Amino acid sequence: MTTESTETTDGDAGTSVRDVTDLYHEFGDDRLPAGQRETTAFPVLSKSGTPDWDPDTWEFTVTGAVETELSLSWDEFRDLPSETQRQDFHCVTGWSKFDCEFTGVPFPALADLAGVEDDAVHVLFSALDNYTTDLPLEDCMREEVLFAWAYDGQDLPADHGGPLRVVTPHKYAYKGAKWVDGVEFLTEPELGYWERRGYSETANPWQEERYS
Ligand SMILES: Nc1nc2c(c(=O)[nH]1)N[C@H]1C(S)=C(S)[C@@H](COP(=O)(O)O)O[C@H]1N2
Ligand SMILES: [Mo]
C-alpha cells in the first residue's frame, strides 16, 4: 500500500477506512478553502435544541420521485451496508475540521434502493428538529455524502446529530442535516431552512458560495 492510497486499515477494529480528504483536488488547490480557518474542536451548531428520539418509533422515509417509496425502522436502517470514511468538515461560519471519521450509508446506495426517477433534479432532507436543507441531485449522488451514525468509532453524539445525520464534505456543513429522518426526491428545486434565509443553494466552499 502506498502513501497515495485512499484505503487505510484500522488495525484494532480490522475495519477499512476510506480516506476522501483529497476530494478538494476537484474544486481547488488548497485543502483549506478560502476564508476558513482550521480548528481541532468540533463546535455544535443547531438552529434550536437537540431533539429527542425514540428508537422504537423512529422512521426514515424516502419519498417523492422514486420507483419505491421507503420507510425504514432504526434496525432496518442500521442493517444497510455501511462504510467508514475520513472526511473534512467545513462550516459556513468559517471553521473547518480535518480528518473526521464518519460511518454510515452512502447516499447513492440509498437512492438505488428506492430507484430514483428520471425527472428527479433536487433533494430535500428533513430532520427531527424540523430543519430542512436541499441540494441538486447530482451533488448528492456521491459516495462521500453519508448518512452517518458513528463519529470516530463511537455512536454519533446527540448534539452532533445522533442517531443519524448527513455529512457533505464537498459542501458547507449546513447541507448535512443532523437528526435526519427523511429524503424527498423533487422534480423542482425547493429551498431548505437556511437556503430560504439567504444561504447558498450550492454551497461550494472552494468558491466561497456562502450566500445566494
Ligand atoms: N437538523 C439540523 N441539522 C443541521 C443544523 C440544524 O440546526 N439542524 N445546523 C446545520 C449547520 S448550520 C451546521 S454548521 C452543521 C453543524 O454540525 P455540528 O453541530 O455537528 O458541528 O449542522 C447542520 N445541520
Ligand atoms: Mo453552519
Side-chain angles (χ1 to χ4, degrees):
M1 200 172 273
T2 71
T3 52
E4 300 282 343
S5 171
T6 55
E7 295 277 334
T8 57
T9 299
D10 178 320
D12 288 336
T15 51
S16 168
V17 179
R18 189 209 297 240
D19 187 341
V20 301
T21 57
D22 58 357
L23 64 76
Y24 71 88
H25 290 297
E26 249 181 82
F27 305 105
D29 295 332
D30 300 317
R31 183 172 175 186
L32 187 68
Q36 297 291 107
R37 68 187 160 73
E38 195 189 341
T39 176
T40 53
F42 195 0
V44 169
L45 275 131
S46 307
K47 69 170 180 63
S48 40
T50 296
D52 289 330
W53 77 290
D54 177 351
D56 293 329
T57 55
W58 186 91
E59 185 190 33
F60 185 93
T61 58
V62 182
T63 56
V66 289
E67 285 154 24
T68 316
E69 294 199 329
L70 303 176
S71 168
L72 301 169
S73 68
W74 177 240
D75 287 342
E76 287 168 336
F77 199 97
R78 287 298 308 260
D79 282 343
L80 298 175
S82 63
E83 62 175 66
T84 299
Q85 296 182 7
R86 185 170 305 124
Q87 307 190 339
D88 296 342
F89 191 99
H90 308 292
C91 177
V92 72
T93 60
W95 54 269
S96 293
K97 182 173 172 56
F98 289 164
D99 298 319
C100 306
E101 281 189 16
F102 288 106
T103 305
V105 179
F107 185 98
L110 195 80
D112 288 350
L113 209 59
V116 180
E117 302 272 11
D118 289 343
D119 56 351
V121 291
H122 224 79
V123 176
L124 190 70
F125 298 88
S126 56
L128 296 176
D129 63 342
N130 296 319
Y131 186 80
T132 53
T133 186
D134 70 280
L135 273 174
L137 177 61
E138 64 185 72
D139 286 327
C140 295
M141 285 297 237
R142 299 180 55 114
E143 294 296 318
E144 301 89 2
V145 177
L146 285 182
F147 294 93
W149 59 68
Y151 169 70
D152 280 357
Q154 309 287 326
D155 285 348
L156 184 66
D159 51 1
H160 285 299
L164 190 72
R165 77 171 301 161
V166 179
V167 285
T168 55
H170 60 321
K171 300 290 179 183
Y172 289 123
Y174 66 90
K175 294 296 180 179
K178 303 196 284 187
W179 313 296
V180 65
D181 70 347
V183 180
E184 185 179 358
F185 289 84
L186 303 169
T187 55
E188 280 172 25
E190 190 178 318
L191 300 183
Y193 180 86
W194 283 120
E195 293 85 5
R196 284 198 300 272
R197 290 164 175 78
Y199 283 86
S200 167
E201 268 181 79
T202 45
N204 177 344
W206 292 272
Q207 297 293 329
E208 284 202 75
E209 294 169 354
R210 298 175 197 270
Y211 310 105
S212 60

